Amino acid sequence: MTLIYTIINGLFQLYTLAIIVFILMSWFPGAYNTGLGRFLGQICDPFLGFFRRFIPSIAGLDFSPIVALLVLQFAERGLVYVLSIFSF
């Protein structure tokens, strides 16, 4: 069962890293137009876009990625908890 936990943890960490890199790319002009930027946009924008609809930017700062990362962390913990309940 620890293999499943390791895989789940690794996937969530990888997606969290992808979101963080995608967010940091906004600091560099033209970074979203690179191959990596377009790839990260395809996998991160749908998730981040959900939170951008509900959380307005304040003074030009977008706080939705912080909430998205918190939700992602809670989802990982919840999934691990549910799996631990059903493990024998």
Side-chain angles (χ1 to χ4, degrees):
M1 197 49 112
T2 58
L3 177 63
I4 293 172
Y5 296 137
T6 305
I7 291 171
I8 289 172
N9 186 22
L11 290 174
F12 274 94
Q13 284 183 354
L14 186 64
Y15 194 63
T16 300
L17 179 64
I19 290 173
I20 291 170
V21 169
F22 184 68
I23 294 166
L24 292 176
M25 289 179 82
S26 68
W27 295 355
F28 302 100
Y32 289 138
N33 296 329
T34 64
L36 177 64
R38 286 190 298 273
F39 174 72
L40 290 177
Q42 288 177 342
I43 63 172
C44 296
D45 262 342
F47 184 65
L48 293 173
F50 175 78
F51 296 99
R52 285 186 183 127
R53 285 184 284 187
F54 301 109
I55 303 170
S57 60
I58 300 170
L61 297 174
D62 185 15
F63 291 100
S64 60
I66 296 169
V67 176
L69 289 173
L70 287 173
V71 168
L72 191 63
Q73 186 177 23
F74 285 131
E76 177 187 7
R77 289 182 183 183
L79 183 59
V80 167
Y81 178 74
V82 168
L83 288 175
S84 69
I85 290 174
F86 291 114
S87 67
F88 299 106

